[in-house]
Amino acid sequence: MDRLARSHQPSIDSVLERVSTVLLQTQRKAQCGTLDAASTDKELSELIANLSRIEGSGTNIPEDLIKKSIQSINDLKQNLPNLIPEQDLINRYDQTNPNPHGKGRHQLDIDVNKLQQLMSLGFTVKKIAEDGLLGGKIHPNTLYKLLKEHDLQVRSSYSTITDDQLEEKVAEYNREHPNAGAMEVHSYLKTQGISIQRDRCRAVLTRVDSAGAAKRWSCTIQRRQYKVPTANSIWHLDTHHSLGRWGIVVHGGIDGHSRLMPFLRASTFNTAKAAACFFCTRCEPVWFTKQSKSRPWNRIC
């Protein structure tokens, strides 16, 4: 099925197709030795959740087959290699104060006002900590402990709407927009003055339209991975148009293996001839370039 047509017409078949694709990718990663335990476990959990959603939705698929599929995926989850991803220790938060008790490591000097400001803008505590929005990466538990010390609560900013009232609101919006996902529904509720947790919004939307949630999940774009054996095996060419209002187009190329940029030039022409000129000029000293990969309008054959 064409991806564009599938994205506009989600169906039970698209759910099964997505399940098959994820399992095939998992098998390939296991064969190549690139299987990541955390991400794969999350993907398999999504498969189980969406197969469970269509289990009792009155489809033509036998329920015994769906149950066997869920059991097989559960067995696969249990047999996943215990791979622990390396923790990124770069750009750690290093502003500290001496420990007031006189012993132990220094305490982190965190600006509580800045933390409150970020939370008021809609950033979660986990995102603030892991993305280093306070000036460096911090463990989320450190921020939760700081909030507790200053008698600040994250939940106080959420609306106190009951589940029945929330389901009624979501069901009303879902009837008018059956393909709306959790993020769209969450934004709609904000426009209505209702601020709730994203997990709660997803759970309510799943209860209101479980089969629709599985169909929407099956149509999300999957990012593909590829490997480049050596440098100069493949170059990626593209153009940048942020300066287009001044008549300037930036042509750039990057090596798919080393991420080295062979060329980055500005031009007043957004044509294939201009891209070919920059590409061929750079290929003269690097004559052993094998392939070139770009968008169709910039492809150099």
Side-chain angles (χ1 to χ4, degrees):
M1 183 184 297
D2 183 72
R3 184 191 301 178
L4 182 60
R6 186 180 63 185
S7 63
H8 291 282
Q9 298 177 357
S11 62
I12 299 299
D13 292 338
S14 63
V15 177
L16 300 179
E17 182 181 351
R18 177 67 180 273
V19 170
S20 176
T21 302
V22 173
L23 292 177
L24 182 60
Q25 290 179 351
T26 303
Q27 181 183 5
R28 290 175 177 173
K29 291 178 182 178
Q31 293 174 351
C32 297
T34 59
L35 191 65
D36 181 74
S39 61
T40 305
D41 184 79
K42 182 179 179 180
E43 291 177 352
L44 295 179
S45 299
E46 290 179 351
L47 297 186
I48 296 173
N50 286 281
L51 285 175
S52 301
R53 289 169 179 170
I54 65 175
E55 184 177 358
S57 59
T59 61
N60 297 328
I61 306 173
E63 293 190 5
D64 294 340
L65 180 60
I66 298 179
K67 290 181 179 179
K68 289 181 180 179
S69 301
I70 294 175
Q71 183 61 37
S72 300
I73 297 175
N74 274 320
D75 295 340
L76 179 59
K77 283 187 62 177
Q78 295 176 359
N79 295 329
L80 280 178
N82 188 18
L83 299 178
I84 302 177
E86 297 181 359
Q87 296 182 354
D88 186 9
L89 301 179
I90 301 176
N91 193 23
R92 297 293 297 179
Y93 194 88
D94 56 358
Q95 300 179 20
T96 59
N97 284 331
N99 194 314
H101 303 289
K103 296 181 180 180
R105 63 190 302 179
H106 290 186
Q107 295 182 346
L108 298 179
D109 183 17
I110 301 174
D111 190 349
V112 181
N113 294 329
K114 187 176 181 180
L115 175 60
Q116 287 182 288
Q117 182 181 5
L118 290 172
M119 292 174 57
S120 64
L121 294 175
F123 292 98
T124 62
V125 174
K126 184 177 180 180
K127 185 172 182 63
I128 294 172
E130 295 181 349
D131 291 357
L133 300 183
L134 291 173
K137 294 185 178 181
I138 311 172
H139 196 281
N141 290 348
T142 304
L143 294 185
Y144 283 120
K145 182 179 178 181
L146 182 67
L147 292 173
K148 186 176 180 180
E149 291 176 354
H150 290 79
D151 198 19
L152 300 174
Q153 295 183 358
V154 180
R155 296 180 181 272
S156 60
S157 59
Y158 296 131
S159 303
T160 57
I161 185 173
T162 63
D163 289 342
D164 294 337
Q165 294 174 340
L166 184 60
E167 287 185 8
E168 184 179 352
K169 283 277 187 182
V170 173
E172 179 182 356
Y173 188 78
N174 182 260
R175 283 192 294 269
E176 298 177 359
H177 306 84
N179 292 328
M183 296 302 296
E184 182 177 340
V185 174
H186 190 264
S187 300
Y188 165 74
L189 293 175
K190 279 189 175 181
T191 62
Q192 301 297 314
I194 302 174
S195 177
I196 61 174
Q197 298 90 331
R198 288 173 296 178
D199 291 342
R200 187 183 179 190
C201 181
R202 294 191 189 99
V204 171
L205 185 59
T206 301
R207 291 198 299 268
V208 170
D209 185 18
S210 58
K215 294 176 183 178
R216 288 188 295 272
W217 166 83
S218 67
C219 297
T220 55
I221 298 176
Q222 287 185 285
R223 301 299 177 186
R224 292 167 176 80
Q225 296 181 353
Y226 68 97
K227 291 187 177 181
V228 182
T230 60
N232 292 321
S233 294
I234 184 171
W235 284 2
H236 302 269
L237 311 182
D238 206 349
T239 53
H240 192 62
H241 300 270
S242 62
L243 302 177
R245 66 177 67 182
W246 295 282
I248 300 175
V249 179
V250 180
H251 295 263
I254 185 170
D255 184 76
H257 178 80
S258 63
R259 298 296 187 267
L260 175 69
M261 299 184 66
F263 65 91
L264 185 65
R265 301 291 182 85
S267 173
T268 56
F269 300 98
N270 183 28
T271 61
K273 185 177 180 180
C277 178
F278 295 132
F279 175 77
C280 295
T281 302
R282 187 52 185 157
C283 279
E284 290 179 0
V286 194
W287 57 271
F288 47 85
T289 301
K290 298 178 181 179
Q291 300 181 40
S292 168
K293 180 180 179 181
S294 67
R295 296 187 177 181
W297 52 83
N298 285 339
R299 186 175 296 277
I300 309 298
C301 299

